[in-house]
Amino acid sequence: MGDHNQPFLPVSGDPECVPIQGDDVVDDSLHRPQQGSTKSKLLLAVFSGIFVVCLILAGGYDKSGVVKVAQLGGVDELGVGPIEMPAGSTIVRPAVSRGKSAGVSEKANLSPEQLLGGGEVSGDGLTEDFPWNNSMLSWQRTAFHFQPEKNWMNDPNGPLFYKGWYHFFYQYNPNAAVWGDIVWGHAVSRDMIHWLHLPLAMVADQWYDVQGVWTGSATILPDGKVMMLYTGSTNESVQVQNLAYPANHDDPLLLDWVKHPGNPVLVPPPGIHHKDFRDPTTAWKTSEGKWRITIGSKVNKTGIALIYDTDDFINFELKDGFLHGVPGTGMWECVDFYPVAVAGGNGLDTSVNGAGVRHVVKASLDDDRHDYYAIGTYDEEAGKWYPDNPTIDVGIGIRYDYGIFYASKTFFDQSKQRRVLWGWIGEWDSEAADVRKGWASLQGMPRTVVLDTKTGSNLLQWPVVESESLRLRSKEFKNVVAKPGAVVPIKLEAATQLDIVAEFELDKEAVERVAESDEEFKCSSSKGAAHRGALGPFGLLVLSEETLSEQTPVYFYVVKGKNATLRTYFCADQSRSSLANDVNKQIYGSYVPVLTGEKFAVRMLVDHSIIESFAQGGRSVITSRVYPTKAIYGAARLFLFNNGTEAGVTASLKVWQMNSAFIRPFPNL
Amino acid sequence: MTTPKLFNLTAAFISLSLFLSSSSADGATATSLITGTCKQTPDFNLCVSTLNANPRGPKAAGVQTLALIIIDAVKAKATTAYADLKRLLKTAPELEGPLKSCAEQYNVILTAEIPEAEEAVSGGVAKFGEDGMRGSASGADLCEDGFVKVKSPLTAENKAVSGLAAVGAAVIRQLE
């Protein structure tokens, strides 16, 4: 097998790097106040007048057509070319999948074989809206993922380990299951799994955060004290940065918080719009002994990370230039900046620098609702960071997750010397369903983050080891063979709370035999699990129903290209995940490096309406939100499948039933 | 013989011009901000006419104001739709099933999605505003689709909400 050792280099077909280019075509003047252009207005008036007269004389006057500026795609009267819809309109994003248009599946021309055993197909989206019932909706709540008891949650905030407790704060709406009225929720845990809800940490009670207590980060000082910097939306909707700290540093639960009387400590600097200034990071030490933070923003369409230095978290100095910026990426939200060890292994405190260290810059792109990171070099003196590979710079290269995962934030867990990543997992159903079920959003299973020492050019993410404490009984399935076209049931007592570790091998002889292909594959433009190639797709059908009327394939697709090199893709296919017509039905994923000697490997956490899939030890991760109507409770099934045409697949898997984390309010508070 | 014809033609020309200039006022006197913004929405005319109909529209200095105007207009249309469907619940009991579905959708639109959009756009986190508008459009569509075997009595209202909310989402998109 001619395996490859390529880092995450995007080729022209790389699926998830597409969105941004289109932004270049957008009329940038819309982002600035309209400058007077009297000349063009005059020209316009003259032209219109002549145009009108001509039309009348020609007798072909159509009232609605006069001085009609171009519809989308047309040519406007000033002779400018077609106006392109911003690329954002075609991007996979959490919100866009609502409504019937996303529910239409192309089934007309697939053979029964391709349908993997057939079964009912979901509606064409034109029938009446799906009648969700309480049984289906209440099944969606997870057993071991963090979520408040009700209502809306979004960004993770200020995670830290303090006096024996992991603390987690989060953007929360106490009043509704949609975003709004944002305050800071709070929970603690001994192990990042068994969470106990605490009272709200901060509410919108000051003029400088009355429109929203938004995202922020914690810094633990050498003396153990905690500084929390967060964004407030003021009474005039200006984004400012505020300082808060525990009312009582002896309280391990950090129940009460004090807002610094001199807030805000930072207001938007000149040249930065008052709505493009949010999400301060954890601070790190400079060689001068100051604390340094970064805050994301944008200038026109260039996403940037501003740098500030401070001694006291109260008085800040804006450094010249930016830590980094990437044209065309738009607003950078929830910027994160942290070191990773070249040798892998443990995580590093945010202040660590020097030899043997690379630095990661991460941004959440407002434009496409994805989290991107890049690895590079931090020039401490200059206050600048440079990517190792500018072609996969921040926002145009690698994503933490190829499914639904946003506003993520890491922290250094000093108790176990690891860097841990939190990410907001939104909903992929309708807002109406969220209101009906009374809640929206989850947090991902926290993940450790390290540099992939084998490729050197990407990170590895893996569920925190404490996730294994949820494992109950396991079943092993060794060397299960799935011939081309096969669907093999994996018999389990239940299939909605699972931890699956699986390895796959393609039949070697078949891999040698098949012809080279010049297929340019992209998960998102493929037919999902029905897209048959010689060497794939193969993987697992999760949250599936007995007759496969509902199924969520998570799988590998292998292309044998020039010189017999294999390229592997890792995808999730939601096109048939539910009979409902108001949920996400997209297919998504990415290229994943599979190195010589490696089998195709995946670990999956299945927890009701969330599936988290980690390929090749966490080299590529996909989080999915799935809303089956039949494949729920005892009717959910797991299958192994191989829909390739040439090669058999041998799979070995171990599947654990997962316990509930019993997330509940802190007792006797 | 020619004089009356000429007279008629002139009169026609004059009244046509007057008619034209009043109807073309929407296009010709729409600010470049409005036309530029509305070009990037699925319904240019609806966008322009809605913005021009609001006195704040032509005076708007930025896209944020335009977005808030559209959201307001969606709220008005959704309020009308909701009032109509409540009336129909009394007068057309045979349509109770789909009408109750519609009531649920419009309840979400009015109590959750429009407030979400207003707060998000005012605050500068436009993407949640986009969610609110897309959700409102979907809700109206789902209400309409609920009338499977009978003709929907709310088509005009649903299309108004859906079309305008789609325009709203596209305007808000430009804030991101």
Side-chain angles (χ1 to χ4, degrees), chain B residues 21-88:
Chain B
S21 56
S22 63
S23 61
S24 72
D26 290 342
T29 62
T31 63
S32 51
L33 176 66
I34 289 180
T35 47
T37 303
C38 290
K39 270 189 217 175
Q40 299 184 70
T41 71
D43 191 336
F44 175 82
N45 284 339
L46 178 61
C47 178
V48 171
S49 58
T50 305
L51 291 171
N52 273 337
N54 186 309
R56 287 181 296 142
K59 291 187 229 159
V63 180
Q64 186 188 304
T65 306
L66 300 183
L68 289 169
I69 293 171
I70 303 277
I71 294 170
D72 256 351
V74 173
K75 188 194 318 193
K77 298 228 183 278
T79 306
T80 304
Y82 193 55
D84 289 347
L85 81 87
K86 288 188 81 179
R87 188 179 26 89
L88 281 164

Side-chain angles (χ1 to χ4, degrees), chain B:
Chain B
M1 275 320 219
T2 51
T3 315
K5 260 195 188 166
L6 189 61
F7 179 79
N8 286 341
L9 201 60
T10 314
F13 179 79
I14 291 171
S15 47
L16 257 175
S17 310
L18 285 171
F19 187 54
L20 255 184
S21 56
S22 63
S23 61
S24 72
D26 290 342
T29 62
T31 63
S32 51
L33 176 66
I34 289 180
T35 47
T37 303
C38 290
K39 270 189 217 175
Q40 299 184 70
T41 71
D43 191 336
F44 175 82
N45 284 339
L46 178 61
C47 178
V48 171
S49 58
T50 305
L51 291 171
N52 273 337
N54 186 309
R56 287 181 296 142
K59 291 187 229 159
V63 180
Q64 186 188 304
T65 306
L66 300 183
L68 289 169
I69 293 171
I70 303 277
I71 294 170
D72 256 351
V74 173
K75 188 194 318 193
K77 298 228 183 278
T79 306
T80 304
Y82 193 55
D84 289 347
L85 81 87
K86 288 188 81 179
R87 188 179 26 89
L88 281 164
L89 271 167
K90 295 192 190 119
T91 62
E94 71 278 11
L95 297 177
E96 190 187 18
L99 282 174
K100 281 203 161 157
S101 276
C102 285
E104 191 185 338
Q105 296 294 343
Y106 275 96
N107 197 39
V108 171
I109 290 171
L110 287 165
T111 63
E113 292 174 316
I114 288 174
E116 180 186 18
E118 283 169 339
E119 184 176 344
V121 170
S122 305
V125 273
K127 61 176 173 291
F128 298 116
E130 220 190 314
D131 284 355
M133 283 291 100
R134 286 192 196 281
S136 300
S138 292
D141 288 342
L142 286 169
C143 163
E144 187 65 12
D145 290 349
F147 295 93
V148 184
K149 297 177 183 88
V150 282
K151 184 170 163 17
S152 161
L154 292 167
T155 303
E157 293 92 328
N158 284 331
K159 285 208 185 316
V161 172
S162 178
L164 198 49
V167 166
V171 172
I172 295 171
R173 183 92 184 84
Q174 298 171 47
L175 288 170
E176 285 164 28

Side-chain angles (χ1 to χ4, degrees), chain A residues 201-218:
Chain A
M202 290 197 286
V203 297
D205 58 3
Q206 302 297 322
W207 67 268
Y208 49 77
D209 61 16
V210 67
Q211 302 284 5
V213 189
W214 291 350
T215 291
S217 309

Side-chain angles (χ1 to χ4, degrees), chain A residues 26-27 30-31 33-34 37 41 44 52 56 61 63-64 66-72 76 83-89 91 93 95-96 98-100 125-129 152 154 178-182 211 214 233 237 239 275 278 298 301 331 333 366-369 406 424 430-432 435-436 581-582, chain B residues 13 16-17 19-20 23-24 27-28 30 32-33 35-45 61-64 101-102 104-105 107-108 111-113 115-117 119-136 138-139 141-143 145-149 170 173-176:
Chain A
V26 171
D27 180 5
L30 291 173
H31 294 274
Q34 285 302 298
S37 46
K41 279 183 191 154
L44 175 59
V52 166
I56 292 169
Y61 166 60
K63 172 184 146 191
S64 68
V66 176
V67 248
K68 176 179 176 176
V69 187
Q71 297 286 23
L72 238 33
D76 77 11
I83 307 299
E84 289 190 37
M85 192 67 172
S89 62
I91 293 162
R93 45 193 305 144
V96 92
R98 296 196 179 90
K100 58 186 179 179
L126 298 175
T127 53
E128 55 193 87
D129 28 321
W152 166 278
N154 53 292
V178 297
W179 179 90
D181 297 343
I182 296 295
Q211 302 284 5
W214 291 350
S233 183
S237 297
Q239 293 170 9
K275 291 190 164 50
R278 53 186 182 271
K298 67 171 176 172
K301 276 288 179 182
M331 175 67 187
E333 299 189 292
D366 198 22
D367 282 359
D368 70 3
R369 314 246 279 222
Y406 194 68
W424 165 40
S430 70
E431 287 200 330
V435 169
R436 190 156 165 204
N581 59 354
D582 54 352
Chain B
F13 179 79
L16 257 175
S17 310
F19 187 54
L20 255 184
S23 61
S24 72
S32 51
L33 176 66
T35 47
T37 303
C38 290
K39 270 189 217 175
Q40 299 184 70
T41 71
D43 191 336
F44 175 82
N45 284 339
V63 180
Q64 186 188 304
S101 276
C102 285
E104 191 185 338
Q105 296 294 343
N107 197 39
V108 171
T111 63
E113 292 174 316
E116 180 186 18
E119 184 176 344
V121 170
S122 305
V125 273
K127 61 176 173 291
F128 298 116
E130 220 190 314
D131 284 355
M133 283 291 100
R134 286 192 196 281
S136 300
S138 292
D141 288 342
L142 286 169
C143 163
D145 290 349
F147 295 93
V148 184
K149 297 177 183 88
R173 183 92 184 84
Q174 298 171 47
L175 288 170
E176 285 164 28

